[in-house]
Amino acid sequence: MSPALPRPADDGVVTAAPRANAVVAVLAFGGIVVSLMQTLVIPIVPELPKLLNAPASDTAWAVTATLLAAAVAVPMTGRLGDMYGKRRMLLASLVLLIAGSVTAALSDALAPMIVGRALQGMASGVIPLGISIMRDELPAERLGSATALMSASLGVGGALGLPAAALIADNFDWHVLFWSSAGMGVVALLLVLSVVPESKVRSGGRFDVVGGLGMAAGLLCLLLPISKGGDWGWDSGTTLGLFGACVLILLLWGWYELRTDQPLVDLRTTARRQVLVTNLASIALGFGMFAMSLVLPQLLQLPEATGYGLGKSLLTAGLVMAPSGLVMMAVAPVSAALSKARGPKASLMLGSLIVAAGYSLNILLMSEVWQLVLVSCVIGSGIGFTYGAMPALIMGAVPPSQSGAANSLNTLMRSIGTSTASAVAGVILSQLTIGFGGVALPSEDGFRTVLAVGGGAALLAFVVASFIPRHGVGSAADRGAAEAATDADDHDIELARSED
């Protein structure tokens, strides 16, 4: 028997299986709404110092706060979902998104804006929670395509959000951005209440408070210097001190997690080859995905007089990026079909190669708008393959009672990759510059270097993914094997404890 026996929900929720299409549509919509928060403030970032009457170095926290809050909240909401109900935590996440949006919409000062953006970031667990709900509720034949679509919603929302946010910022008061996100959050909340059932699969137990605080502290010490190192100086005492604290805290956290009965993160499960290698590939792919988002909008908006800029508006830049989100959505069922036929490892490796090819193409084609549309679609299709495969790989190696925590950790790995991409690209572009009207602008060589690094990260993901076990994953038999492996691990642990 499993040490974490799934037990029926006891809150009176009707458990009759709803229509699978409605569940998939509602959860994917929720994922897109949450991922929109990534690009929501980009159109107004240059104006925030004036709008909030604060220096630019402080208003940058309107972006950083969302990143840090998401990193801390995602693994915790995943574990809480496994314990107390995934739908319940999904609803709580959407409530936080609405509260954060309303707080930011009512703000005209920096402090409430940062609070609102942090609350929005805390809703980022919606996507891994949605994937875990799908595993519990959908028939096996629908699971692959549904989880691929849900996973891809992270990129879809980010791609579609930029032109929508730019359009609102250009034509309305900036507060409308946040009222709009609050409205979408309310719609998603009501749809989840109406359509999505509560899962019967729960692990129960108590929440690992010490582990949660330790992970939060370690992640903050990692992501804060990655995000702010360019401003503080990469060799400054603050930056190096935080990196050192990160190593120490996470080592102590890992030691504690291995010795507690009900850890926040089951490191023994995480260390299984399939889970570990998939998470490592996810970091590289997160890096590869974000490099495109950093380079293409800048190329489009730089003045034509530079010789390589295209002199377009932010709205045009968003419209150029938007098709990549649609391509991700379109590729999701193709990725699922390939995963079903050849295994999700094949989808992950193929997608990594497509992303690398897209960056190679971008290095050669960056002088016309249509070329950047083409490149973004190629890279978007590769991301669609990879993001559809990762949940299947993770869920094929963990029991249902741990799927929320495992998917959340995988989402966190992608976020670490995107944060690292932002830092590395910032260093490269700040070093390779040209003078233009008395201002230092990123040079064409700088952009090509970032694109080459992004392509290299995708190739690294391909190499890492090749170490994933060859056997098929994602089927009911594989999930049963994963549960049996977990049972065996926990039995050995309990036996060792009794002997001690």
Side-chain angles (χ1 to χ4, degrees):
M1 298 293 291
S2 171
L5 287 175
R7 55 191 179 90
D10 54 6
D11 51 8
V13 176
V14 176
T15 58
R19 289 176 298 177
N21 290 342
V23 171
V24 173
V26 168
L27 292 175
F29 175 73
I32 290 172
V33 169
V34 168
S35 61
L36 288 171
M37 301 308 106
Q38 297 176 347
T39 51
L40 185 68
V41 298
I42 288 180
I44 61 171
V45 164
E47 304 297 323
L48 283 178
K50 179 178 68 175
L51 296 173
L52 301 176
N53 192 27
S57 58
D58 291 340
T59 58
W61 285 98
V63 176
T64 305
T66 308
L67 166 70
L68 297 179
V72 171
V74 164
M76 293 190 187
T77 55
R79 175 60 178 151
L80 288 168
D82 286 337
M83 294 171 63
Y84 304 120
K86 302 177 183 74
R87 177 179 180 266
R88 183 172 296 171
M89 291 311 302
L90 181 65
L91 292 171
S93 297
L94 290 172
V95 169
L96 289 172
L97 185 147
I98 296 166
S101 299
V102 172
T103 301
L106 294 173
S107 69
D108 286 300
L110 180 62
M113 171 63 78
I114 292 175
V115 171
R117 290 289 290 161
L119 288 171
Q120 287 182 324
M122 292 175 70
S124 298
V126 164
I127 292 176
L129 286 169
I131 292 171
S132 301
I133 290 172
M134 287 176 175
R135 180 186 192 181
D136 295 343
E137 300 300 326
L138 296 182
E141 64 272 13
R142 289 297 312 277
L143 185 59
S145 59
T147 55
L149 178 62
M150 187 70 191
S151 184
S153 69
L154 178 64
V156 173
L160 299 181
L162 184 58
L167 184 64
I168 292 173
D170 286 346
N171 294 280
F172 301 96
D173 179 81
W174 66 273
H175 294 90
V176 176
L177 286 169
F178 297 101
W179 287 120
S180 299
S181 65
M184 289 186 292
V186 170
V187 172
L189 180 71
L190 294 176
L191 288 173
V192 170
L193 283 169
S194 302
V195 174
V196 179
E198 181 59 272
S199 170
K200 296 179 182 180
V201 181
R202 297 188 191 177
S203 64
R206 59 176 176 80
F207 183 72
D208 178 15
V209 176
V210 175
L213 292 174
M215 173 175 265
L219 289 174
L220 288 175
C221 289
L222 172 65
L223 294 175
L224 192 55
I226 287 177
S227 302
K228 305 295 289 183
D231 297 330
W232 295 342
W234 292 104
D235 58 351
S236 70
T238 302
T239 301
L240 296 177
L242 285 170
F243 278 132
C246 166
V247 173
L248 178 61
I249 291 170
L250 290 181
L251 284 174
L252 291 173
W253 171 79
W255 176 86
Y256 175 82
E257 291 292 277
L258 288 170
R259 284 159 178 77
T260 190
D261 291 336
Q262 300 179 43
L264 175 70
V265 177
D266 187 339
L267 294 180
R268 291 178 177 85
T269 299
T270 304
R272 290 177 187 161
R273 182 176 168 187
Q274 184 163 306
V275 179
L276 178 62
V277 174
T278 301
N279 283 333
L280 291 175
S282 298
I283 296 175
L285 285 168
F287 190 112
M289 183 191 84
F290 205 60
M292 172 185 71
S293 302
L294 292 168
V295 170
L296 267 59
Q298 291 191 66
L299 277 174
L300 285 158
Q301 293 178 82
L302 283 175
E304 291 184 76
T306 60
Y308 52 89
L310 299 180
K312 304 300 180 182
S313 67
L314 179 61
L315 176 59
T316 300
L319 291 173
V320 169
M321 300 291 291
S324 67
L326 300 177
V327 170
M328 289 181 207
M329 188 177 297
V331 164
V334 181
S335 171
L338 177 61
S339 295
K340 184 177 181 180
R342 302 294 300 273
K345 175 182 177 179
S347 295
L348 182 59
M349 295 181 70
L350 175 62
S352 300
L353 286 179
I354 293 174
V355 171
Y359 279 115
S360 300
L361 192 64
N362 201 178
I363 292 172
L364 301 174
L365 302 177
M366 52 190 297
S367 60
E368 300 287 344
V369 171
W370 70 266
Q371 294 174 349
L372 299 188
V373 173
L374 173 64
V375 165
S376 70
C377 288
V378 172
I379 296 175
S381 66
I383 293 169
F385 274 102
T386 60
Y387 275 22
M390 284 184 283
L393 287 164
I394 294 295
M395 292 190 295
V398 302
S401 60
Q402 295 181 19
S403 62
N407 280 313
S408 295
L409 185 63
N410 182 251
T411 300
L412 174 63
M413 294 300 105
R414 291 187 244 176
S415 297
I416 290 174
T418 59
S419 301
T420 306
S422 180
V424 171
V427 170
I428 293 172
L429 296 179
S430 67
Q431 296 299 314
L432 300 175
T433 62
I434 62 168
F436 183 80
V439 179
L441 295 178
S443 68
E444 187 174 17
D445 287 340
F447 287 125
R448 286 200 165 99
T449 301
V450 173
L451 293 172
V453 172
L459 288 176
L460 176 61
F462 172 82
V463 173
V464 171
S466 69
F467 290 95
I468 294 172
R470 289 182 177 274
H471 60 75
V473 296
S475 67
D478 296 316
R479 292 195 292 273
E483 291 191 65
T486 300
D487 295 347
D489 289 345
D490 290 335
H491 175 73
D492 292 342
I493 295 166
E494 292 300 324
L495 183 60
R497 286 178 181 151
S498 64
E499 290 174 350
D500 291 339

